[in-house]
Amino acid sequence: AQSVAQPEDQVNVAEGNPLTVKCTYSVSGNPYLFWYVQYPNRGLQFLLKYITGDNLVKGSYGFEAEFNKSQTSFHLKKPSALVSDSALYFCAVRVRSNDYKLSFGAGTTVTVRA
Amino acid sequence: DAGVIQSPRHEVTEMGQEVTLRCKPISGHNSLFWYRQTMMRGLELLIYFNNNVPIDDSGMPEDRFSAKMPNASFSTLKIQPSEPRDSAVYFCASSLGRGTNEQYFGPGTRLTVT
């Protein structure tokens, strides 16, 4: 069964420092991977996705993620975090043979302190 | 585009009452998803539709829950009778096509059943 794991419930960083949010996946085939962000009292917003091709994917708000097939990981990164990046981040995976369903991780709460 | 529209944004009801949540997907999107988010269980997919047809309702918790999509621009999620354990935030999301495309989430309906 397709699944993702986000090993950290919380990540705390200082503004201006690099931010990394970890995600590992488990699927039987090649995965389609997504990152979403949720601000308080809002719906999830799409950040970026990996489908195929270049392992480094760039997305919204200066975020990027690196697909690593050997480590089955898809970590989200931002070189210089902002206070406004404080939110709940979700990793999700979709397997090609199961085109519609997304399996979401439990989420990682990011807090960026000024 | 106005994005995915959900109504009401907040709903407070008493146990045993019928609750109807509404969703208008993004125009042109042909897949629609209903999710439920709670602290205990995270984000759960309840049901999804493709071209107005229910494809997978395996996430619907029990017979008290039902969903319809009478046309491409409207869907409802109904709970009858409601119970306190149904209290959660319910999200509707839509996407275009299948596989590689991301889902766009509505702002959610916060349901409280007393």
Side-chain angles (χ1 to χ4, degrees):
Chain A
Q2 56 182 1
S3 67
V4 292
Q6 295 181 240
E8 300 163 316
D9 292 336
Q10 294 192 9
V11 170
N12 298 304
V13 298
E15 188 172 36
N17 281 2
L19 169 63
T20 298
V21 187
K22 296 180 180 178
C23 172
T24 59
Y25 64 89
S26 175
V27 297
S28 57
N30 291 321
Y32 291 175
L33 293 156
F34 300 78
W35 275 103
Y36 288 82
V37 60
Q38 185 179 28
Y39 298 101
N41 301 313
R42 302 285 295 274
L44 280 69
Q45 295 179 31
F46 168 74
L47 279 178
L48 51 77
K49 64 183 177 184
Y50 171 81
I51 304 302
T52 187
D54 193 346
N55 289 342
L56 185 63
V57 179
K58 294 186 183 299
S60 305
Y61 312 122
F63 284 94
E64 58 187 30
E66 185 168 12
F67 172 66
N68 188 317
K69 189 172 184 178
S70 63
Q71 298 186 3
T72 63
S73 67
F74 188 56
H75 300 332
L76 181 70
K77 300 179 180 181
K78 186 170 184 179
S80 178
L82 301 172
V83 173
S84 57
D85 294 327
S86 298
L88 181 59
Y89 291 79
F90 290 96
C91 181
V93 66
R94 175 187 286 144
V95 177
R96 289 178 182 174
S97 61
N98 190 2
D99 277 349
Y100 295 88
K101 284 185 173 181
L102 282 179
S103 177
F104 284 87
T108 298
T109 298
V110 171
T111 302
V112 182
R113 60 186 185 276
Chain B
D1 198 315
V4 176
I5 299 172
Q6 291 187 248
S7 64
R9 293 295 309 276
H10 302 272
E11 178 79 36
V12 180
T13 190
E14 293 183 347
M15 182 174 61
Q17 296 299 306
E18 178 180 295
V19 175
T20 299
L21 310 181
R22 296 172 176 79
C23 175
K24 176 179 170 57
I26 292 173
S27 178
H29 283 189
N30 60 349
S31 294
L32 184 140
F33 308 80
W34 282 102
Y35 291 90
R36 178 172 67 176
Q37 186 178 36
T38 61
M39 290 293 292
M40 291 294 294
R41 300 175 67 88
L43 197 62
E44 305 173 274
L45 176 65
L46 301 177
I47 185 172
Y48 69 87
F49 296 82
N50 184 246
N51 294 324
N52 312 336
V53 176
I55 302 299
D56 186 341
D57 64 355
S58 61
M60 297 285 262
E62 48 198 276
D63 292 345
R64 298 185 297 107
F65 285 69
S66 63
K68 294 182 179 180
M69 192 165 187
N71 57 62
S73 59
F74 184 67
S75 178
T76 59
L77 178 67
K78 185 177 294 186
I79 308 172
Q80 167 62 19
S82 58
E83 297 181 3
R85 59 194 169 118
D86 301 331
S87 297
V89 180
Y90 291 81
F91 290 104
C92 176
S94 70
S95 70
L96 176 63
R98 54 191 291 169
T100 61
N101 293 325
E102 57 273 20
Q103 297 176 14
Y104 292 84
F105 283 72
T109 295
R110 182 174 296 277
L111 173 65
T112 303
V113 183
T114 61

